[in-house]
Amino acid sequence: MIYNGIDFETYFKNYPDANGYFGKYGGAYISPELKQAMQEITEAYFTICKSRKFIAELRRIRKEFQGRPTPISHLERLSNKLGDVQLYVKREDLNHTGAHKLNHCMGEALLAKYMGKKKVIAETGAGQHGVALATAAAYFGLECDIYMGAVDIKKQAPNVARMKILGANVVEVTEGLQTLKEAVDAAFAAYANEYKDAIYCIGSVLGPHPFPMMVRDFQSVVGIEAREQFVEMTGELPDAIVACVGGGSNAAGFFSGFLNDPVEIYGVEPLGRGEKLGDHAASLKYGEEGIMHGFNSIMLKDENGDPAPVYSVASGLDYPSSGPEHAFLHDLGRVKYDVVDDEETVDAFFTLSRLEGIIPAIESSHAVAFGMKLAEKMGKGSILINLSGRGDKDMDYIIEKYGIR
């Protein structure tokens, strides 16, 4: 499939390029010392990802430890309520630890062991990446430091407890807005001091090369499985697929399975409280080109050109930029990026719970909300939504803020 001059049959061989760029987005804007560390990671990854032993071990872990493949569920009652469009969900909420994050964390931790590292360092927003990496660290016998904003620690108390039970050191970040951006800042600073003995396991398709590529590759299992399962279940491809986008790891992995197919692809960003700067985290819709955390992408900027304050009801989506590959796919038009607000998201959270017996993560509820709107607009056909995580972590916060609907 050729789209706007890009041949998606050979897309993954060409993007990113050798310097980590998806078109003009990506790269590695970091200090000389960290460039050396990133080069070490890149070389190790390109060696290990072609290793039969590594591939076999990762497949064994996915099957025996993570519980992969995760299934696809047909949302029959929700579909009937909305009309004639049939909605389906890829159940990453059934992946061990309750979200897609373990897909790349087990790969990154296995890479750390291969490189002889003793510690893994990461940031987390909603806590799912932190839990997943703490799980991977426990599995491989590694030390684990997780940096988390003070605001997110309060919103995501169950995940904080899980990280500590798994043996991780949770470091509270109290600078700035005390959310995901500040957690990334703190984790990068720590890694700069410990890179000889540690590896920074970025939680999304963000950061300097090779992480946007590496995390996408580890997450591509979601898209590969989903495509095969949907065709086996229905005999055809879905008409549209949908995933939420903050940094964009679940979406990048999910979309990768369908980029070369005649399928409409939608990424859903958080509109939060509205269009005013500081009330949302919809960087691809309202942002502009900019560099932060070691990579060039589309970001939300304040009046000084610095990363703007952001907000979302979903801690995992409140980041002022998006992965460079998403910026590239946005400019190409291959993926359409849209928004839903907090109110639509919370409604979808309760609707899916009540009609289908699935409590979704509030991040994933953004995709569900958009999928419901898209179904009403399409009138006929099928939509496959990536349910990137389960909502256990969100229940206390949602009940406290919104009550039971």
Side-chain angles (χ1 to χ4, degrees), residues 170-191:
V170 181
V171 183
E172 184 174 11
V173 179
T174 57
E175 287 77 21
L177 294 177
Q178 305 177 12
T179 56
L180 184 56
K181 175 192 170 295
E182 289 76 24
V184 176
D185 290 340
F188 257 115
Y191 178 58

Side-chain angles (χ1 to χ4, degrees), residues 121-181:
I121 296 172
E123 81 299 330
T124 195
Q128 286 301 131
H129 176 60
V131 169
L133 191 63
T135 299
Y139 184 92
F140 288 108
L142 298 166
E143 297 175 47
C144 181
D145 287 349
I146 303 294
Y147 290 80
M148 191 171 188
V151 169
D152 292 335
I153 284 178
K154 291 178 183 177
K155 287 171 69 175
Q156 303 293 344
N159 273 347
V160 175
R162 292 169 78 192
M163 285 184 266
K164 291 179 177 179
I165 288 170
L166 288 161
N169 175 35
V170 181
V171 183
E172 184 174 11
V173 179
T174 57
E175 287 77 21
L177 294 177
Q178 305 177 12
T179 56
L180 184 56
K181 175 192 170 295

Side-chain angles (χ1 to χ4, degrees), residues 342-355:
D342 282 359
E343 196 61 31
E344 293 170 308
T345 298
V346 174
D347 282 344
F349 174 88
F350 283 106
T351 298
L352 188 65
S353 300
R354 296 280 168 78
L355 290 182

